[in-house]
Amino acid sequence: MIPTLLPTYARAPMSFVKGEGSWLIEADGRRFLDLGAGIAVTAMGHAHPKLVEALTEQAGALWHTSNLYQIPQQQALADKLTDLTFADTVFFTNSGTEACELAVKMARKYWDEKGQPERSEIIGFTGSFHGRSSAGIAAAGSEKMTKGFGPLLPGFVHLEFGDHDALQAAVSDQTAAIIIEPVQGEGGIRPVPDQCLKGLRDLCDEHGILLIFDEVQCGVARTGKLFAHEWAGVAPDIMMVAKGIGGGFPIGAVLATEDAASGMGLGTHGSTYGGNPLGCAVGCAVMDHVSDPEFLAKVARKGAMMRQRLEGLVASHPDVFESVRGAGLMLGIKCKATNTDVVKSGYGKEILTVPAADNVVRLLPALTISDEEIVEAVLRLDAAASAMEAA
Ligand SMILES: *Cc1c(COP(=O)(O)O)cnc(C)c1O
């Protein structure tokens, strides 16, 4: 008999009843150190008092009105985001994959409005992840996500991650946009080198192609800059945001320049829940915290500290681990042992990590994690690796 929950997830046997900062408390009382943060979502940790306050205050006043009316919290969050980034305009969604839907629609509409509707092709890269909607799986293109789901949304081209020659060859007068994660998340924490992001920007400028950055996982201070592309000193035309921006409340966004958004006039897109007062009240509280330069500097410092300690961990367990990679507090350990076994062994030591492709274990802690918690996390990972070696 089919479970009453559609069985699409392989869930671990823990059930958490409470969260405090970097900690999750299991129903039986065990305290797990959370280096997953709900997959880079709880950026401010669990139950951050300022976020709880923002949510409960809004919940006591007004939950939902729809986009038939003005939503001041939504306007406030859009103003913050445009002040802090390359963007001139923002549309709010409820998730990352909905942001992908709009990014794709916006890029195609742009060319249609310019009288070049045939310019609809979007170039993506292997190992990428843009969510599970029809546009999301078509953009990423992996067989794992697309097989069996019938005709794919057409107009997507997939190139090998890092193959510059293939990219030059693939660009044509049909190319509408290029979509890329500045740091691949699900693909195994693979940062795109700054030089490559710069090269991409140049290529797009040369051909008038729109550049879409998917910062759903690597954005919102995760790497120690507000958005990961800032490290390379280049900006996209369109950017997808979600995960961390809600700190655990479901909200996403598409940010765009005035030019890139120029096709999206009245009635061209919409969402019932998107930009709802609850989500935007929390989003404002998150952005106020993470955009503080001191906060960002701390994320970068803690990321460097964690990385250094992980290098030591890897060196002392050469049969389990291979190398460390990533940026800021978006770190990956490439494993020798099977990554899912490492994650499972961690459960026994009450530490939570997340597997990714390329046999990587992802570490995406709350950005508020303390130095002591980082030290404790590495001790627990050490114990998890030792347990595997002893087995
Ligand atoms: C998680 C993720 C998405 C999809 O976000 P959902 O909120 O799960 O739809 C898209 N892109 C990237 C890079 C992601 O990490």
Side-chain angles (χ1 to χ4, degrees):
M1 229 169 54
I2 192 165
T4 52
L5 283 172
L6 190 72
T8 62
Y9 298 114
R11 298 175 198 267
M14 293 88 75
S15 170
F16 298 106
V17 293
K18 195 172 166 50
E20 295 167 359
S22 293
W23 298 85
L24 276 174
I25 294 116
E26 221 274 347
D28 65 9
R30 283 178 298 160
R31 290 174 63 85
F32 285 73
L33 187 44
D34 181 12
L35 297 191
I39 317 186
V41 165
T42 53
M44 298 299 298
H46 298 287
H48 189 286
K50 290 287 182 201
L51 302 199
V52 172
E53 186 188 315
L55 182 64
T56 50
E57 200 173 289
Q58 187 59 48
L62 181 63
W63 287 22
H64 182 80
T65 61
S66 91
N67 288 296
L68 291 169
Y69 312 105
Q70 313 285 324
I71 300 177
Q73 298 79 10
Q74 193 181 122
Q75 184 63 55
L77 185 52
D79 290 346
K80 283 183 205 299
L81 287 167
T82 51
D83 280 351
L84 291 162
T85 68
F86 72 95
D88 303 310
T89 189
V90 184
F91 182 94
F92 290 105
T93 67
N94 308 288
S95 68
T97 206
E98 287 169 73
C100 182
E101 293 290 326
L102 174 56
V104 165
K105 284 176 71 176
M106 184 182 281
R108 289 178 169 170
K109 191 72 161 57
Y110 175 87
W111 290 110
D112 186 79
E113 290 284 314
K114 292 227 180 307
Q116 294 177 254
E118 72 288 352
R119 209 168 161 170
S120 62
E121 199 170 88
I122 296 179
I123 296 177
F125 297 92
T126 53
S128 63
F129 183 74
H130 305 296
R132 299 300 194 121
S133 63
S134 294
I137 62 174
S142 80
E143 193 180 303
K144 192 179 135 206
M145 285 187 284
T146 56
K147 193 165 178 267
F149 292 109
L152 276 185
L153 189 64
F156 291 88
V157 176
H158 303 101
L159 304 179
E160 219 35 68
F161 183 82
D163 187 340
H164 297 182
D165 296 337
L167 180 58
Q168 291 282 350
V171 164
S172 74
D173 54 9
Q174 313 279 301
T175 311
I178 296 176
I179 183 168
I180 190 166
E181 300 160 73
V183 184
Q184 274 193 357
E186 304 298 313
I189 311 291
R190 295 199 291 180
V192 179
D194 290 352
Q195 274 316 108
C196 297
L197 282 187
K198 285 196 181 106
L200 259 183
R201 180 72 268 177
D202 290 344
L203 185 72
C204 287
D205 289 344
E206 196 182 315
H207 298 271
I209 296 166
L210 295 171
L211 183 56
I212 304 171
F213 285 161
D214 180 346
E215 293 232 16
V216 169
Q217 193 160 150
C218 61
V220 193
R222 177 62 44 193
T223 66
K225 295 271 191 200
L226 192 53
F227 290 100
H229 67 261
E230 294 170 27
W231 290 109
V234 297
D237 302 292
I238 300 172
M239 178 167 72
M240 297 149 55
V241 178
K243 293 201 165 99
I245 193 171
F249 197 95
I251 174 169
V254 173
L255 280 64
T257 63
E258 182 168 10
D259 183 44
S262 59
M264 301 301 296
L266 203 58
T268 53
H269 198 63
S271 167
T272 298
Y273 276 130
N276 134 317
L278 293 170
C280 289
V282 179
C284 282
V286 170
M287 287 309 295
D288 285 345
H289 273 86
V290 303
S291 63
D292 178 354
E294 270 179 45
F295 183 90
L296 290 164
K298 254 194 232 169
V299 171
R301 184 187 58 74
K302 285 187 280 197
M305 172 197 162
M306 189 162 187
R307 188 179 183 129
Q308 191 186 22
R309 289 184 177 256
L310 290 173
E311 302 279 5
L313 173 79
V314 166
S316 49
H317 298 281
D319 293 335
V320 180
F321 302 124
E322 201 173 295
S323 57
V324 186
R325 61 204 199 195
L329 285 171
M330 184 173 185
L331 294 164
I333 312 178
K334 168 100 175 150
C335 297
K336 269 237 180 71
T338 304
N339 61 345
T340 48
D341 291 343
V342 174
V343 171
K344 278 195 194 122
S345 184
Y347 296 155
K349 303 298 171 191
E350 290 160 27
I351 183 157
L352 304 176
T353 57
V354 186
D358 200 27
N359 204 30
V360 163
V361 170
R362 260 183 294 179
L363 312 178
L364 310 157
L367 305 179
T368 52
I369 192 170
S370 69
D371 290 5
E372 295 73 32
E373 286 164 342
I374 290 173
V375 171
E376 178 63 26
V378 177
L379 284 175
R380 289 185 187 209
L381 290 172
D382 185 69
S386 296
M388 289 176 77
E389 288 157 352

